[in-house]
Amino acid sequence: MKMDAMIIGGGASGLAAAVSLARRGAKVCVLEKQDRVGRKLLSTGNGRCNLTNMDADLGHYHGCVAAARAALEAFPPEKVLRFFEEIGVPARIDGEGRAYPMSNQAASVLDALRLSAAELGAELRTGFAVTSVERAGGAFVATSAAGETARGNRVLVCTGGLAAPKLGACGDGYALLSAMGHKVSPRYPALSPLKTAPEAVRGLKGQRLECNVSLMIGEKAVRREQGEILFGDGSVSGIAAMQLAGEISRQISHGVKPRLRMEILENGADFLRRRLERLPDRAAEDFLTGVVPKRVGQALMRVAGVENQTIPSKMLRKSTIFRLAALMEAWEIPVTGVCGFDQAQSTMGGANPAEFFPDTLESRLQPGLFAAGEVLDVCGDCGGYNLQWAWASGLTAAEAMA
C-alpha cells in the first residue's frame, strides 16, 4: 500500500514526525532498521531524557546554524513541551532550564511516542534497513537490504548521525541523501572526551575542576566554555571540555594543533600574594588546597617548577609565584585528538541544511524529500539542545509534509 509519507529512521525526529503526521490524518509508515525504535533516545540525559532546554537560542548550535533558524523558531521549547503534554508526558524544568519528563525516565518518553503513533494509525516497521530511495510513478520507493519495498508520496530522512554506534548509528542517511544529489560535509565526533598528552595530566585521573575553558588556536581563543572538567588517563572530559570536541576534531583534521586553556582565577598574582601572607608556613603541596583539589594544586606546583613540595610556601621564589599565578589564569595543555564516535554524544557535519527550504526542510533538489535531526549539519551543545533540534526539525518537516 502506498503511504502518504514514509519516515526513514525511528528515532526522536522520526517518531515525533510520525505522531504529528498521523494526527493530521496522513497514512504514515516509519522504517527502522533495528528491531525496535528509539534505542538512542533511551540513553539521553543519563536515562532521564533531557527533553529540551528553555534557553535554546541559536548561540547553542553549531554547523549550518542559519539554515536551522526557521525550524527552531517555529517549534521553540514551549511548543515542544506542549506537544509532549498532549501525548501524555508532562515535564519538569530544573534550575538551569533543562526540561525532563515528570517520570524522570527516558523510557516513558519513548513509550508515549510509540503508543501515540500506534493509536493514531501510524505503521512502525522495524528490521527494515533502507539501502536506496528512488522515484517511481510519482512516488518514492524505499528498498531494504532484504529486498522489501515501501512506497510513499513523500519521504523524510531522519536516520541520525554517527555518534553511539553501539546503539545502531552508522550514518546510512548520509548515503541516501548523497545518492539523491545532496552534499554531505565531513563528519566529526562532538560532545566527546578530548585526548591529551599523558604527561600533561599525569596523576590527575578522577580529579574535577570548575573553571573557564578555552579552545586555543595559536594565540586566539576560538571558543570558550564554563563549567566542570574531569581529568582522565590521557584525557579530559566533563561538559565544558566536551563542548569543544566537534570544533577540535575539525581543526585537527586540517592539521592544526589546538590547546586547551583552563582559567581558574582572573587575577592570580593578587590572590596568591594575599594567600601567601595568610599561609606562609603551609607546605607547597597543600598551598592551593581549598582553591582547587589537592592533586590539581600539586600538578600546578609541578608545572610551575616546584620540585620539592614539602617546603613551606614562604620559601617559594617570587618567580615561582609569578609562574603559578600565570598558570592559575591560563593553564594550557596540548590536545592531541578527540575520542571517537563510540564515546561521542553527537555528530558535527552532515547534509547541508542550506539545500533544504528552511521553513519546511523540504529538499530544494528533490521535491517531496525532507530531512531532519542529526543527519543535517546542525549540532547542539550538551543540555537538551540536540533533542530540541530533533523535535523541532521533525515537527517542522511533518507540518510541511501534511
Side-chain angles (χ1 to χ4, degrees), residues 353-366:
E355 295 182 346
F356 296 80
F357 292 105
D359 55 341
T360 63
L361 295 179
E362 182 176 14
S363 169
R364 297 177 187 269
L365 311 178
Q366 298 280 353

Side-chain angles (χ1 to χ4, degrees), residues 344-357:
Q345 296 179 25
S346 187
T347 306
M348 177 173 279
N352 187 355
E355 295 182 346
F356 296 80
F357 292 105

Side-chain angles (χ1 to χ4, degrees), residues 189-193 239 242-243 245-246 343-346 379-382 386:
L191 299 180
S192 184
I239 291 176
M242 291 168 66
Q243 301 269 55
Q343 296 188 50
Q345 296 179 25
S346 187
C379 178
D381 288 340
C382 188
N386 283 300

